[in-house]
Amino acid sequence: MKTKDLQEFLERGYLQTPYIIIRKFPTVYMQIPIHRWELKEHFSEGIFILPVEEEVLGYEEACHVTFELYHQENPEADMCLVLDKDRARFIGKNGSGFDEKGGYKYGSVPWGGMLLSCKGEVMRVNEPHYVI
């Protein structure tokens, strides 16, 4: 399957952490980049963290809050927040995103299958969902 040049996707904010992965179908995933607000003029796709959230909560916790709000808007989706190449936080269709002790539920970063952009473009097939 033909995919566009990776550099084009990188320039649009894809394939680099943090991002949200939504499981559309078995083996088909959509990536939604998460950006700092000050990059809003540079990127047209993805979700942007408000400066006040980052200032009050810190960057990583603001990513968690953004992820939770996105899941509330899309409760029927299985999704994860990928914070780095080794750490992903999962929320299932039932909204369960916490472990038995009330902490975030982490797992390994999804890999493989077909990875789509927000616009439905095929970015990667059977490869890692990140480059950076």
Side-chain angles (χ1 to χ4, degrees):
M1 173 165 292
K2 179 86 169 113
T3 62
K4 292 186 177 184
D5 181 53
L6 285 182
Q7 187 61 37
E8 177 185 333
F9 290 114
L10 287 168
E11 289 171 1
R12 289 167 46 197
Y14 288 100
L15 305 171
Q16 46 200 308
T17 60
Y19 56 82
I20 295 172
I21 289 286
I22 299 173
R23 183 174 174 240
K24 302 299 273 182
F25 307 101
T27 72
V28 179
Y29 304 91
M30 178 177 286
Q31 187 178 99
I32 302 168
I34 298 175
H35 307 293
R36 287 187 155 99
W37 186 262
E38 59 264 19
L39 299 175
K40 197 164 180 68
E41 297 298 318
H42 186 68
F43 297 118
S44 62
E45 300 165 56
I47 299 172
F48 296 87
I49 296 174
L50 295 173
V52 68
E53 290 175 337
E54 186 174 352
E55 185 178 311
V56 171
L57 302 171
Y59 183 66
E60 185 170 311
E61 192 60 29
C63 288
H64 284 284
V65 169
T66 300
F67 175 56
E68 291 166 10
L69 292 171
Y70 190 82
H71 187 266
Q72 287 176 8
E73 295 171 5
N74 303 277
E76 294 303 311
D78 287 326
M79 58 180 69
C80 71
L81 167 65
V82 178
L83 295 162
D84 57 48
K85 66 183 185 78
D86 299 315
R87 195 167 44 127
R89 177 184 166 205
F90 292 84
I91 295 181
K93 290 179 186 174
N94 63 4
S96 156
F98 299 93
D99 63 22
E100 57 281 347
K101 295 179 182 175
Y104 295 137
K105 186 187 298 182
Y106 289 102
S108 59
V109 175
W111 188 98
M114 182 182 297
L115 182 63
L116 306 175
S117 71
C118 293
K119 295 182 176 179
E121 304 155 295
V122 176
M123 295 192 294
R124 306 205 74 177
V125 177
N126 294 328
E127 296 181 85
H129 293 181
Y130 57 85
V131 175
I132 300 173

